[in-house]
Amino acid sequence: MSRYPIYSCRSLLLLALLYLPDCLLATHQRAAEITFRHVGATTYEITLISYTYTLSPVNASRDFLQINWGDGTADLIPRVQSVFMPDTIRYNKYVGQHTFSGPSTYIISCEDPNRNFGIMNIPNSVNIPMFIYSELTISPYMQYDNSPVLLIPPVDNACVGQPFYHNPGAYDPDGDSLSFKLVTCLGFHGMPIPGYTLPLPANSCHINPVTGDFSWISPEQQGEYNIAILIEEWRDGIRIGSVERDMQIHVVSCNNRPPVIDSIADTCVEAGHNLRFPVNAHDPDTSDIVTLTAIGGPFVLTPSPAYMEPDTAQGKEHVTSIFHWPTVCQHVKKNPYHVYFKAQDDGSPVRLVDIKSMNILVIGPRPVNLATAPAGNTINLTWNPYSCTNAKGFYIYRKSDSTGYVPAYCQTGVPAYLGYTRISKINDINATSFLDDNQGSGLNRGLKYCYLVTAFFQDGAESYASNEACAELKKDIPIITNVSIKTTDINQGSLYLAWSKPSQLDTIQAPGPYKYLIFRSRSDNPSQFSLIDSLFNLNDTLKTDTMLNTVGYSYRYRLDLYNLTPGNHFFIGSSQPASSMYLTLSPSDKKMRLHWTNDVPWNNNSFAIFRSGNFDSGYDSVGFSLIPFYVDRGLLNGNTYYYKVRSRGSYTSGGFVNPIINLSQKTGGIPVDNDPPCPPILSDSVICKEFTNYLHWRNPRDTCGTDIARYYIYFSPSSGIKPALLDSIMNPFDTVYIHKQPNSVVGCYSIIACDSAGNRSDFSNTLCVDNTACPLYTLPNFFTPNGDGFNDLFVPITNSSVDHVDMVIFNRWGKVVYKTSDPAINWDGNDCNTKSACADGTYLFICDVYEITLSGIQQRTIQGSITLLR
């Protein structure tokens, strides 16, 4: 196997065009794809599968194919398997290995001339190569990737007027998520094939982006058609690779109707259980024999793969097979397994199929016998040893109240709507306990703590949740219930403090009498507590704190409890600290944003917002919020508005005042127009022949200002250049801008909106127009320079976003008869050397096209023939 740098040689190409026998340019490629698997370090093995025309003489010499690795090198990889199939189809398998230099994204590709003759939706397919590729990402931040394996062949048959279905049967050995989309078939140098269209009717050709089911309802004309399917890999929401399949569909005229597989719903199974269900198919042509098979990830696993009973079931008109899968812990995955059922009849002249796909999620069993035991200000959790030893550890979830949650049949982990918070991750699957000490700060008395535990696996899969287990801490210390502002003043402010006395004291160990010590800190130094009072009656649970600056600060309180038994004085414990609410205003255009602190040991579940035009009185409720934030709208700029907030909450244990009501301080503000408009949402329309981009945008009416006075349009000729101001529009209702360039539509646009006060929005979305927005530069294959005013010049069919060309036209003996750098070409059929008219016949050309793209000027080479007729 030899490796060599990729290069092009114009003279060799010309000789090939002039002197290669027709048989060596024969048609043969029907379908192909490239997949890869990780071997070790940065070494990968690629497998290229192709399906070729059996009768083509080229097949005999195709023992090697060139693979471009995407790193500037290429290899000839050998054909390791060849199988002759019905319908003049030959299966070819090529395998090769390559070691990449390091982390990057590589496009592994193969360009092989040529496709078979007569593909209906690829003009001049006999002269169009097949270009296929896969995208490989090597990254130090993720595990090595293996591409999806496509289990269903890319050649298939269809009947005129009958629905056609196909699925690539993609299985990802790494458990990555897959998505599917139809793309344009590729030709020379990986460029989209000019004139390519989806098979007719094109509006009935579509693919399910999640399942990969391709539907064509229904073919209208006999012939061979090619489509391309891009299978993309996603890991943790990031696209990491892709495989492009170029496949062929052979449509014939027949009276056969395809079989139908009954609907099969997605399902799930707990690891260790046996999944079993019937699969049924029937054929509307009652004389046909139907063969039912299945393929997919569960069938290629070890150990304990799935199987069908019977395997390859057959029946006249109707057929049934039973799917069995005795799952084990090693089958647990975050993403579902895809299974594909295929029913094929024995009709003539072609056998038709139906394909149904389904997803099966294998879920880890739940941790069992979760139990809780409170101790001081901690709670200890215990559970049984976990049954799936291939799991990696456990997640611990906590909530301050019970939900009675029992997982639904296919519900993994802990749903967000329950309100649970993940508080810990244990990276030890052998663990059977966890001590919750609230990360060292201790848990709060007065709350009922409930827990759920799940196991997690290497790929991020979570098991079913355990049983819910709850516990409450012993109420043997005071518990604060109120820290409410009574008076707002810079010097004479006051605050109402209340608490619930301890009701579960150990009176044998601490018989009393008792003493409360009340400590206070201020929000500018919240950890610096100072003693402000002492109380000697256990039932004394109220205090009014005075001489405070409640305008500028919030206040935080803590109560310590002491046993004062003669000769046995000791500290019993401290309450959980609690702070007063502090309200902050952020004035904006005709509105006020309110934020307030919420640092208390109980649960505040709602807040009421009050407003007045007078600091001392007249406060009315203007709204409610479930979070410590609120926006009061419809105000008048320049007016003063005063606010206060009332919280409503509770402890989840019994024996407390309910609801717990507290007030913030009062504070005022004046709305002012400092709110910029929202960034416009930009879109465009392209008129290729006029090199014109029509920009149009809309203004979202969200939380931004709406008094727009002007727009600024910014433009950059490429994605790597900082945008510069192009123009401005003074009319706020004019949301269209026309930008015309001399010879291109390429460039990036963004817009800023500005209001009457001079506030500017952020940039809109950046909208980039590349040269692919218009038909690529394309040349005709004939012209008639006879002076009749019609088709007298050889000019491009389409000419968009081209800087210049290097066009050379040769006669059959290799002599240059015309050359130009003008993209319009304008050859009049005369020899550029002799100025005499060229003879009728075929001329060859090579044209280097220098196209204007978002990445700068890029070269693309077009070669072919021109027929000159006078």
Side-chain angles (χ1 to χ4, degrees):
M1 186 180 296
S2 63
R3 181 167 300 140
Y4 50 87
I6 300 172
Y7 63 91
S8 63
C9 178
R10 174 163 291 189
S11 61
L12 289 177
L13 177 59
L14 174 61
L15 287 173
L17 287 170
L18 290 172
Y19 298 116
L20 233 61
D22 289 342
C23 65
L24 293 185
L25 294 176
T27 73
H28 67 290
Q29 282 288 8
R30 293 181 178 273
E33 66 212 21
I34 297 172
T35 59
F36 55 83
R37 71 178 184 90
H38 179 239
V39 175
T42 58
T43 300
Y44 283 78
E45 179 181 274
I46 74 104
T47 299
L48 189 156
I49 303 295
S50 75
Y51 292 79
T52 53
Y53 179 53
T54 303
L55 303 180
S56 171
V58 175
N59 272 311
S61 62
R62 304 305 283 169
D63 289 333
F64 293 88
L65 282 182
Q66 176 184 321
I67 290 292
N68 298 317
W69 297 108
D71 60 0
T73 64
D75 278 337
L76 293 175
I77 65 170
R79 178 161 53 187
V80 299
Q81 186 180 6
S82 179
V83 179
F84 289 92
M85 302 170 62
D87 303 322
T88 66
I89 295 173
R90 184 177 183 178
Y91 167 90
N92 307 276
K93 181 178 181 180
Y94 298 82
V95 176
Q97 288 192 3
H98 182 70
T99 299
F100 294 90
S101 59
S104 188
T105 297
Y106 301 96
I107 303 299
I108 305 168
S109 64
C110 176
E111 181 176 330
D112 189 38
N114 286 337
R115 296 174 183 265
N116 64 284
F117 176 81
I119 299 175
M120 302 293 286
N121 60 328
I122 296 181
N124 195 27
S125 62
V126 65
N127 291 320
I128 302 295
M130 177 174 286
F131 185 98
I132 53 171
Y133 72 94
S134 286
E135 182 181 0
L136 164 65
T137 298
I138 301 176
S139 170
Y141 305 109
M142 73 175 190
Q143 299 218 358
Y144 289 104
D145 180 39
N146 298 280
S147 77
V149 180
L150 309 185
L151 301 173
I152 299 178
V155 287
D156 220 333
N157 296 314
C159 277
V160 172
Q162 295 296 327
F164 170 80
Y165 304 101
H166 174 80
N167 192 298
Y171 162 66
D172 193 282
D174 303 322
D176 296 320
S177 297
L178 301 178
S179 64
F180 306 82
K181 62 183 177 183
L182 293 177
V183 295
T184 300
C185 289
L186 303 178
F188 290 107
H189 307 303
M191 300 298 293
I193 297 173
Y196 171 85
T197 61
L198 283 172
L200 296 175
N203 61 356
S204 71
C205 280
H206 58 87
I207 194 167
N208 186 306
V210 177
T211 66
D213 291 331
F214 171 76
S215 304
W216 181 9
I217 305 174
S218 292
E220 295 180 341
Q221 186 177 357
Q222 297 182 68
E224 292 170 336
Y225 299 84
N226 273 62
I227 63 170
I229 300 173
L230 187 66
I231 300 100
E232 297 176 292
E233 290 182 274
W234 304 83
R235 186 176 295 175
D236 298 325
I238 299 173
R239 185 182 183 276
I240 63 170
S242 65
V243 172
E244 185 227 24
R245 157 173 281 194
D246 196 315
M247 71 166 291
Q248 187 167 97
I249 307 162
H250 185 205
V251 180
V252 300
S253 178
C254 58
N255 295 322
N256 190 22
R257 291 177 291 175
V260 178
I261 301 174
D262 293 349
S263 295
I264 307 170
D266 294 343
T267 189
C268 59
V269 59
E270 183 179 315
H273 292 192
N274 186 14
L275 180 63
R276 180 182 183 276
F277 57 84
V279 182
N280 301 294
H282 68 276
D283 197 302
D285 299 323
T286 57
S287 62
D288 286 352
I289 294 176
V290 181
T291 301
L292 183 61
T293 57
I295 201 168
F299 297 95
V300 299
L301 294 172
T302 55
S304 195
Y307 61 93
M308 299 292 289
E309 185 182 14
D311 193 4
T312 312
Q314 287 188 330
K316 189 174 182 179
E317 187 180 355
H318 291 89
V319 63
T320 297
S321 187
I322 306 299
F323 175 89
H324 292 269
W325 190 9
T327 62
V328 295
C329 288
Q330 287 77 8
H331 297 161
V332 175
K333 281 201 325 178
K334 181 179 181 180
N335 294 316
Y337 292 86
H338 304 291
V339 180
Y340 309 94
F341 299 99
K342 180 179 179 180
Q344 185 173 44
D345 65 20
D346 64 344
S348 179
V350 294
R351 298 185 298 169
L352 299 182
V353 303
D354 185 24
I355 294 178
K356 286 286 193 299
S357 62
M358 69 169 300
N359 296 321
I360 301 174
L361 183 64
V362 181
I363 303 173
R366 69 175 189 168
V368 297
N369 291 331
L370 177 64
T372 55
N377 62 353
T378 67
I379 296 176
N380 191 50
L381 281 66
T382 58
W383 58 89
N384 289 0
Y386 192 59
S387 57
C388 284
T389 57
N390 62 311
K392 295 301 178 182
F394 299 95
Y395 291 135
I396 312 297
Y397 293 85
R398 184 181 71 200
K399 186 180 189 297
S400 59
D401 205 358
S402 61
T403 62
Y405 174 66
V406 176
Y409 180 57
C410 291
Q411 197 163 41
T412 65
V414 177
Y417 68 80
L418 293 175
Y420 269 88
T421 300
R422 184 192 296 174
I423 61 169
S424 186
K425 177 182 180 181
I426 302 175
N427 294 304
D428 180 8
I429 196 55
N430 297 311
T432 57
S433 65
F434 172 76
L435 181 67
D436 183 14
D437 62 358
N438 202 23
Q439 297 183 339
S441 62
L443 298 169
N444 295 341
R445 267 75 170 178
L447 296 179
K448 180 181 181 181
Y449 290 99
C450 295
Y451 298 88
L452 292 170
V453 176
T454 65
F456 67 87
F457 293 76
Q458 180 65 44
D459 68 344
E462 274 193 82
S463 70
Y464 284 118
S466 69
N467 59 293
E468 186 178 62
C470 303
E472 299 178 19
L473 300 183
K474 191 175 181 181
K475 189 182 176 185
D476 55 1
I477 57 173
I479 299 174
I480 297 175
T481 58
N482 294 88
V483 187
S484 184
I485 300 298
K486 294 182 67 175
T487 307
T488 301
D489 192 88
I490 194 168
N491 295 311
Q492 304 294 323
S494 62
L495 182 148
Y496 170 71
L497 176 67
W499 59 93
S500 178
K501 71 177 183 179
S503 60
Q504 294 176 298
L505 278 171
D506 185 347
T507 56
I508 296 176
Q509 181 181 355
Y514 308 100
K515 177 174 69 172
Y516 293 118
L517 295 182
I518 304 175
F519 292 86
R520 181 185 70 206
S521 68
R522 207 168 68 172
S523 55
D524 56 339
N525 195 358
S527 61
Q528 187 64 46
F529 283 95
S530 300
L531 179 65
I532 62 170
D533 204 354
S534 301
L535 301 175
F536 294 90
N537 186 341
L538 194 64
N539 295 319
D540 195 350
T541 60
L542 303 174
K543 176 175 176 58
T544 298
D545 196 12
T546 59
M547 307 299 292
L548 304 174
N549 178 4
T550 53
V551 171
Y553 305 99
S554 66
Y555 291 87
R556 183 175 175 86
Y557 293 86
R558 187 192 80 218
L559 282 82
D560 290 356
L561 179 64
Y562 283 83
N563 178 66
L564 300 182
T565 302
N568 189 24
H569 290 208
F570 62 88
F571 172 66
I572 297 175
S574 296
S575 72
Q576 188 75 14
S579 299
S580 61
M581 285 188 294
Y582 189 78
L583 175 60
T584 303
L585 304 182
S586 298
S588 191
D589 184 24
K590 300 178 184 178
K591 57 180 173 283
M592 192 75 68
R593 295 184 177 94
L594 288 73
H595 311 255
W596 55 93
T597 58
N598 183 37
D599 183 14
V600 293
W602 60 88
N603 295 330
N604 277 328
N605 47 49
S606 68
F607 302 90
I609 294 85
F610 296 85
R611 183 185 70 203
S612 175
N614 185 290
F615 179 81
D616 293 317
S617 62
Y619 285 85
D620 294 319
S621 174
V622 293
F624 292 86
S625 177
L626 302 179
I627 59 174
F629 175 75
Y630 182 78
V631 180
D632 189 21
R633 305 177 188 275
L635 307 180
L636 295 176
N637 289 345
N639 283 10
T640 302
Y641 297 90
Y642 297 95
Y643 295 89
K644 63 181 178 179
V645 175
R646 183 183 68 195
S647 66
R648 181 184 180 95
S650 65
Y651 285 102
T652 53
S653 297
F656 295 90
V657 59
N658 189 8
I660 297 173
I661 304 296
N662 287 278
L663 293 172
S664 74
Q665 92 284 8
K666 302 172 187 176
T667 188
I670 302 172
V672 60
D673 187 358
N674 59 5
D675 196 7
C678 286
I681 299 173
L682 178 62
S683 56
D684 87 323
S685 302
V686 181
I687 300 181
C688 298
K689 291 183 178 181
E690 299 177 2
F691 302 116
T692 299
N693 289 319
Y694 279 77
L695 306 180
H696 38 94
W697 57 92
R698 63 182 179 88
N699 298 301
R701 304 292 182 179
D702 297 332
T703 58
C704 318
T706 59
D707 57 332
I708 297 173
R710 175 180 294 190
Y711 299 103
Y712 295 98
I713 296 95
Y714 287 79
F715 174 74
S716 171
S718 74
S719 55
I721 298 177
K722 184 178 179 180
L725 182 64
L726 176 67
D727 204 348
S728 65
I729 297 176
M730 296 291 291
N731 184 354
F733 302 103
D734 189 354
T735 57
V736 174
Y737 184 80
I738 300 172
H739 185 217
K740 183 176 177 63
Q741 300 186 73
N743 61 341
S744 170
V745 297
V746 174
C748 294
Y749 301 88
S750 54
I751 296 180
I752 288 177
C754 183
D755 67 15
S756 56
N759 299 305
R760 291 193 173 201
S761 74
D762 292 333
F763 278 99
S764 71
N765 57 302
T766 298
L767 192 149
C768 292
V769 181
D770 210 345
N771 64 318
T772 54
C774 295
L776 295 180
Y777 189 81
T778 307
L779 298 176
N781 55 17
F782 77 97
F783 77 121
T784 57
N786 54 14
D788 65 357
F790 177 75
N791 203 22
D792 283 335
L793 296 176
F794 183 78
V795 295
I797 297 173
T798 56
N799 179 10
S800 178
S801 300
V802 175
D803 182 75
H804 68 283
V805 301
D806 183 3
M807 175 74 166
V808 182
I809 302 174
F810 308 85
N811 65 16
R812 60 184 300 180
W813 296 282
K815 178 185 176 183
V816 175
V817 298
Y818 188 74
K819 63 170 65 175
T820 184
S821 61
D822 182 3
I825 301 177
N826 290 319
W827 183 36
D828 59 4
N830 292 332
D831 189 312
C832 65
N833 302 300
T834 66
K835 309 302 180 184
S836 60
C838 293
D840 287 6
T842 300
Y843 294 80
L844 302 176
F845 70 85
I846 301 175
C847 182
D848 291 335
V849 185
Y850 294 85
E851 295 173 311
I852 303 170
T853 76
L854 287 174
S855 301
I857 303 296
Q858 294 191 354
Q859 177 189 337
R860 177 169 64 93
T861 300
I862 305 173
Q863 64 267 349
S865 62
I866 307 166
T867 300
L868 188 156
L869 297 174
R870 294 189 183 275

